[in-house]
Amino acid sequence: MIEAFPATQDEQVYVLMDSWYTSEKVINACNRKGFHVIAAVKTNRLICVSGVTISMADFAVQYLRKSDLRSVTVDSQGTYWVYEYEGPLSEMENVKALLSWKDEYAESSKPQVCLLCTDLSLDLVTIQRYYHVRWNIETGYRYFKELLGFDHYQLLSF
């Protein structure tokens, strides 16, 4: 689907996805097309901080303190406590990752949401605003499945 998506040279495309799809293969397909990725990632993904490779969850629990975080307010979404990391993440060479806690941060806690962004020029608020669009798509899918019964249909070709 990524390779077949039509985009003009002057158009910047952001591919939004949840943690099920953030694989090296999908991200490389986006890179080949010149698309950027904004996606959720699982907290067990590895980052390399000061030469130490550690999972994002373990890094947050062992090393992060509230003084390391920034308070970020996103319109119509609320306030997040965010740690911004830039560097390698698992099999990806250089990305921006946001470790986020909604509303309040608890000392030595795992991040509630981790986001990955391949566009290093985007700021924290923009990344979270763009990812929020994906969440609206997800709730739309839920509406189609539960209320309209789209998960009960099956189409077969002749």
Side-chain angles (χ1 to χ4, degrees):
M1 286 179 18
I2 291 166
E3 291 170 359
F5 185 82
T8 61
Q9 291 287 349
D10 59 339
E11 182 179 30
Q12 182 56 66
V13 175
Y14 288 93
V15 178
L16 308 174
M17 58 184 122
D18 67 10
S19 60
W20 287 91
Y21 301 101
T22 52
S23 69
E24 182 180 19
K25 185 177 180 181
V26 173
I27 291 173
N28 286 342
C30 292
N31 287 339
R32 283 192 298 276
K33 289 282 287 190
F35 300 166
H36 283 293
V37 173
I38 297 176
V41 289
K42 296 183 187 222
T43 60
N44 66 350
R45 293 289 186 101
L46 300 176
I47 57 176
C48 185
V49 181
S50 300
V52 176
T53 302
I54 188 169
S55 75
M56 289 189 289
D58 290 343
F59 174 74
V61 168
Q62 294 174 25
Y63 297 107
L64 286 185
R65 299 296 166 250
K66 192 166 188 171
S67 60
D68 300 320
L69 308 178
R70 289 178 49 195
S71 176
V72 176
T73 301
V74 182
D75 293 336
S76 75
Q77 294 179 47
T79 302
Y80 297 86
W81 287 97
V82 179
Y83 178 80
E84 182 178 8
Y85 163 83
E86 189 175 319
L89 188 144
S90 293
E91 65 277 350
M92 291 154 278
E93 193 172 309
N94 194 35
V95 299
K96 187 179 281 192
L98 309 182
L99 287 68
S100 303
W101 291 261
K102 178 82 167 125
D103 298 321
E104 195 54 47
Y105 167 77
E107 221 39 60
S108 300
S109 64
K110 292 181 183 179
Q112 294 169 331
V113 176
C114 292
L115 300 178
L116 163 147
C117 181
T118 59
D119 185 351
L120 303 179
S121 69
L122 290 183
D123 61 86
L124 305 177
V125 173
T126 304
I127 293 169
Q128 291 190 324
R129 271 193 17 243
Y130 284 7
Y131 187 74
H132 187 68
V133 171
R134 192 214 62 83
W135 186 249
N136 290 336
I137 294 167
E138 198 68 31
T139 56
Y141 284 151
R142 182 176 179 196
Y143 171 78
F144 285 126
K145 287 168 129 183
E146 290 183 0
L147 299 178
L148 300 177
F150 278 22
D151 60 338
H152 299 290
Y153 290 96
Q154 192 174 37
L155 299 174
L156 302 172
S157 66
F158 286 109

